[in-house]
Every structure is written in C-alpha cells, then in structure tokens.
Amino acid sequence: MLELSFEHASDEELLAAYVSGYPRALEALLLRRRDFIWSLSLKFLGNATLAEEAMQEASIALFKRAHQFKGDSKFTTWMYQIVHNCAMDVARKYRKSDVHVDVDQYTETFSVEDQSDEITSRQAVMKALMEIDPDQRAALVLVVMEGLSVEEASTTLGVPAGTIKSRCSRGKAALATLLSELDPRLSQGNSQGNSEGKGSGGNQTSAPIVLGSENHEVENREGGQ
Amino acid sequence: MNENMGDGFDEPTLDAASEAAIDALLQNAQFITPPPGPVADRFTAMLAIEVAQQEKAQQEAAVYAAAEKVAVETGEDAGAEIIAFKPRAKWIAPISIAAALVLVAGVGIGVTQSNLFSSNSSSSVPLASDTPSDAPSADAPSPEATASDAPTTAPSKKPSASTTDGSLADQGGTDTGALLSSGSTGKTVPIVELFSGLPYDGSLSEIVDYIGPEAAVGGLSDLSPETASCIRSNGLAKYVAAVDNGTYKGKDVTAVFSPLKKGGFRITLLNSRCGKMAVLNIK
C-alpha cells in the first residue's frame, strides 16, 4: 500500500519516508534516479566499469547518510555531491594501478543504432572531456552540462566559487584545442593560451580529436562493459 | 556558462565565440542514459540486498524491543527472553507452509501414541498450536496415512514420562550436564517447529545459519503433539532451543537443538520412530 504511493512521492518525500523507517522508499528513489546516477558517474569517470562501482558506492552512501540530509539544499544538489565524491573515491582507488580511462567504454553505452552526427559529436566531446584534468572536468560537467550554478557546483565540489570559475575556464581552454576539428570557431578563437596541462592521468594532449573510423569501430562493439 | 566565468582570476580565457562553441558542444553532449542491462540488474540486486538487510535489522530491533518490554512487565530476565525471541522472528513466516507440510510428513513420524494417529489426518492442520488432534474423525484416513502406518510399532514411551518435564530430563539418558536448561520459572517462549529439509550429515554451518546464531530453551506448547511427545520421551523437554526437520543419511529426522553451556548446540536426531539416530555437537 505504501509502495504504491512511492510512485507519486517527491525525492524529498521518499528520503523522509526512508529516514522514518521505510527502506523501500530509498530503494524506489534510487531506482527512479538510477539513470541519472549512472550517467553522472560516467561523465565523471568515462569508464563503464568504474562508473558502475561509483554508482553502487553512491547508493550505499545514500543508504548510510540519508539521515544527514537536512533539506537546506536541494536533494539533487546533495546527490551530485555524493555521486561526485564516490566517483572520485573510485578514481583514486584505481589511480594507483593507473587505470586507463577508456572512452570507448563510454561510447559503448550508447545504442549501436545511434550513428547520427549528433552522437558522433557527443562521443568526441566526451572523449575530449576525459582527457582534461578531472577537477576541470567535474566543474564543466556540473556547471555547463548539468546546468548547476557556480554556487551549487561550489557546494557540490566543496571548493570556493572562484575555483569553480577557474576550473571551468581552464577546462574550456583545454577543450577548445582538443575539439578544434569539431567547430571552426574553436580553431580561430583559441588564441589566448591553454590550460597548463595537469591532467591526472598524464594523458592530456593538445592533439585535436579527429572524428572518423575510430568512432565507427567503437560503435560496432558489443554493448555493456 | 558565460555569466559564471571570468572575474577575479588570472586564467587563460577564450574569446566569446569559442567559449560559446564549447558551451554548445558540452550542452549537446549532455545525456542521461540507462546503464547496460547487466549493470542495471546488478544495481537492482544490490538495492534489494541492502533493503532486505535493513528490514531484517528493523525486524530484529522490533522483536528486541518487544521482548524487552515483556521482560520489564514480567520481571523476568530480559536477556533470556531476547535470545529466545531472536530466532523466532524468522521462523514465523514459514509456519503456514510448515503446517501444510506436516500434514504429509507428520504422518510418517509414527509416534507411538496411536490415539494421535487415529484421528483424521487432515485434522492435524493445527500442528503448530496446542490443539490436540484427537478430534472425532469424520472422514476416512488419507492414503498417505495408511501408507506410512508402519511405524505404529515404534517403541512405546514411558507413560509417566509425559507428565512432567523435569523427570523426563533424567530418564532420557541424555548427557544433560553440559546443556542449558529452561530454568525454574517454567515460563518460556514456545518453540516453533522448523522444516528446513537440510541434510544433517552434510555441512552443519548452513543449518546453524538457518537456525540462528543463538537460541534459548523454550516450551513445547507450540509443537505438534507427536513431536512434543517424542522430545519428552527422549528426556530433552527442558533443553530444547529449536526443533527442525531434515534428513540424515537419506532418512527423515527430527533434529532437537539443545544449547550447550559453553556455546553451540547439541543436536539430537530422532528418527520417524522417535528413536535417537545420532547426537551431534556443534559450536
């Protein structure tokens, strides 16, 4: 009877129900937000295997910390924070073994039928995004892609607003170089320097991303991770 | 976005057109996609496990609180009550199934009290209650009952043994020195009979997991008359923490769990004729 009402409850109501003693309320909430958590993890990590781990860690963290949500920020903002923290934890965990950020795995999550220019462009953008510094990437994902305000991103990432702005600026400069093939405006206007190239994976490159056979090859692989 | 950028720091910046182009590319690359099937399945399973664990913890907490309340009201030792209650929590659910199974399996137990079997076999539904099964028989005995009537020649139990638990404990010949008894209060939580069907000549850890990590001795009032009588006749009435039905060397057995003082259980395996098949000690 209660489960039926889960469907129409807001995220905050489900969270409150969970805190009141209904574990299935949070299960319903996480299933509702599953795609969001997965996609966000994937944007932060660019690797399906790591994203799955981050998704599971984030869910467990929500189970453990739900009672800490005080409602002074939006639930989604809080969720961004948890997913980001878990994604960074997972990245740190695998950094020692120097896990290669496999953008191909990212592209595998799209349907093989999606062969449009838009998808191809998206893959190139995501590939470039995976090549810049993770902190810059996180800032760009939250502010530009997810549409958070600088203040919300600041809260989410736990850094001052100025740092968010700085990271966004640096990240865009880095992307401009990487994506110059994709938009003619980028090859003309990227005249005021680039980021200092501090990508954690050590694989930052100034070579532009070229669309073509590489992506086609990726899309012909089987889905899943 | 542009309005979020650019003031108060010395950073490489793009011209407005390039920045707009990057913004557009990133925004177009925004996506929300479902995870691949196996990932989604694992995620769903993980959530189900987490929820189940939390619900179990809640259930145990509720039972604990209830037991504590009972203990306060009755002035009894709360610890004993709580221990006794804990394993019961997960036993309650299968009772209805167990009662139905006993209809068939119980007939084969072949306890000596023929009056118990002389009643209609279908009237043994309330096996998990105190209701005696000597109701007048209106229907013919079921085929199952006649097929398993062979054990009616099972060894008879000492008539006096069924009167008091205390005397039985000594008459049964069981080494009870190391066992925990129900104490002198006589107020114990009723034992619920389990029907795990697990092999007692196999891995006992699975059985212990099923029974629960700890148990306290309880009363026999909720057991079927046959099982209760069988336990009494073996001198175990004061030392029963759990009763389960499983197999041993391919034969159906009733396992009587008696907690040992030093921890663990002594499991007395009784065959369908109420005879001892084996005694196992597990820690």
Side-chain angles (χ1 to χ4, degrees), chain A:
Chain A
M1 196 162 62
L2 187 68
E3 286 184 42
L4 291 177
S5 65
F6 288 169
E7 191 180 339
H8 304 290
S10 69
D11 290 350
E12 287 77 8
E13 287 170 339
L14 287 175
L15 199 65
Y18 169 73
V19 173
S20 302
Y22 296 96
R24 290 189 186 280
L26 189 56
E27 181 186 35
L29 172 56
L30 288 167
L31 287 173
R32 176 192 291 176
R33 290 289 187 168
R34 182 196 66 183
D35 296 354
F36 164 79
I37 298 173
W38 164 254
S39 302
L40 189 61
S41 301
L42 209 50
K43 286 171 212 164
F44 285 139
L45 294 164
N47 178 293
T49 304
L50 301 190
E52 180 181 0
E53 189 167 337
M55 179 169 70
Q56 297 213 358
E57 291 294 330
S59 301
I60 290 169
L62 280 165
F63 270 106
K64 287 179 180 170
R65 300 186 210 156
H67 63 281
Q68 295 174 359
F69 178 69
K70 295 181 175 63
D72 46 5
S73 64
K74 283 194 295 187
F75 171 73
T76 45
T77 306
W78 190 60
M79 207 160 173
Y80 276 117
Q81 191 172 9
I82 287 182
V83 174
H84 175 263
N85 288 344
C86 289
M88 292 305 103
D89 286 346
V90 169
R92 264 192 295 274
K93 179 178 162 188
Y94 285 98
R95 194 165 292 159
K96 284 180 184 174
S97 56
D98 196 24
V99 168
H100 174 59
V101 176
D102 188 356
V103 181
D104 292 353
Q105 290 199 36
Y106 162 82
T107 59
E108 284 172 2
T109 63
F110 292 102
S111 165
V112 175
E113 290 78 29
D114 290 340
Q115 300 288 339
S116 65
D117 289 344
E118 185 184 347
I119 296 300
T120 309
S121 166
R122 178 186 293 168
Q123 289 171 352
V125 171
M126 291 309 301
K127 186 167 185 174
L129 204 52
M130 292 308 131
E131 295 194 21
I132 68 173
D133 176 78
D135 290 336
Q136 295 169 11
R137 183 195 316 149
L140 287 174
V141 165
L142 293 177
V143 174
V144 184
M145 296 181 80
E146 300 290 333
L148 269 63
S149 68
V150 170
E151 288 70 29
E152 287 173 325
S154 165
T155 305
T156 300
L157 299 180
V159 296
T163 305
I164 297 293
K165 293 176 183 176
S166 169
R167 288 177 182 175
C168 283
S169 181
R170 287 168 179 267
K172 285 182 185 181
L175 286 179
T177 304
L178 293 166
L179 295 171
S180 58
E181 291 284 325
L182 213 57
D183 191 312
R185 288 174 293 180
L186 297 176
S187 53
Q188 298 164 9
N190 185 22
S191 57
Q192 297 179 46
N194 202 344
S195 71
E196 60 211 47
K198 55 174 182 175
S200 68
N203 55 354
Q204 188 155 350
T205 172
S206 58
I209 305 285
V210 179
L211 302 176
S213 58
E214 180 188 11
N215 290 318
H216 179 71
E217 185 179 304
V218 164
E219 287 165 7
N220 282 334
R221 294 180 187 177
E222 286 183 9
Q225 52 84 29

